Amino acid sequence: MDSVVKIMGELVDSETIERELMSLSGDELKAGTFAVVAVPDERTEHRLVAVFEVAVPTALVERVLAAYAASAPGFRRLSEAMIVEAIPRSDLGKIRRAALVKFLTN
């Protein structure tokens, strides 16, 4: 449930958005090479940020984000995209979303 947040009064699941991005990429985007996280926002409660590892090709990121932006309703839109060296993971390889949000807000 830590991936579900309210944005403009609507419940949004960032992991669902990640699956949509993978689908829009024709499955070129691989799980674990990117994440969508909700960052606190005064006006909308949260805003969505897509974070990609540097190994993901820029052209792929741009293509997928454009396709997603064309179909996503306003409250599910991504406010920005960032490139990082590596996404923080637990010892089991699971994305550490709280650590990623902390990194983005510092």
Side-chain angles (χ1 to χ4, degrees):
M1 278 305 280
D2 64 343
S3 68
V4 178
V5 295
K6 273 195 172 184
I7 299 175
M8 297 173 18
E10 301 284 341
L11 286 177
V12 177
D13 182 359
S14 59
E15 290 179 7
T16 298
I17 295 171
E18 290 173 7
R19 288 190 294 276
E20 289 175 23
L21 293 174
M22 284 189 288
S23 178
L24 287 168
S25 77
D27 292 325
E28 288 182 66
L29 273 177
K30 302 300 178 198
T33 63
F34 74 103
V36 174
V37 293
V39 175
D41 184 85
E42 286 182 26
R43 190 175 67 80
T44 60
E45 298 176 69
H46 293 91
R47 61 186 175 85
L48 298 171
V49 177
V51 181
F52 296 87
E53 290 188 334
V54 72
V56 179
T58 303
L60 175 61
V61 170
E62 291 171 354
R63 178 172 52 87
V64 170
L65 292 180
Y68 181 77
S71 63
F75 64 92
R76 292 185 75 217
R77 290 213 173 114
L78 302 170
S79 67
E80 66 182 296
M82 298 187 71
I83 307 293
V84 296
E85 196 64 37
I87 291 175
R89 292 182 181 77
S90 70
D91 292 338
L92 298 175
K94 191 172 182 177
I95 293 173
R96 294 177 47 223
R97 292 178 186 280
L100 191 51
V101 169
K102 186 175 181 177
F103 170 77
L104 295 174
T105 56
N106 287 335

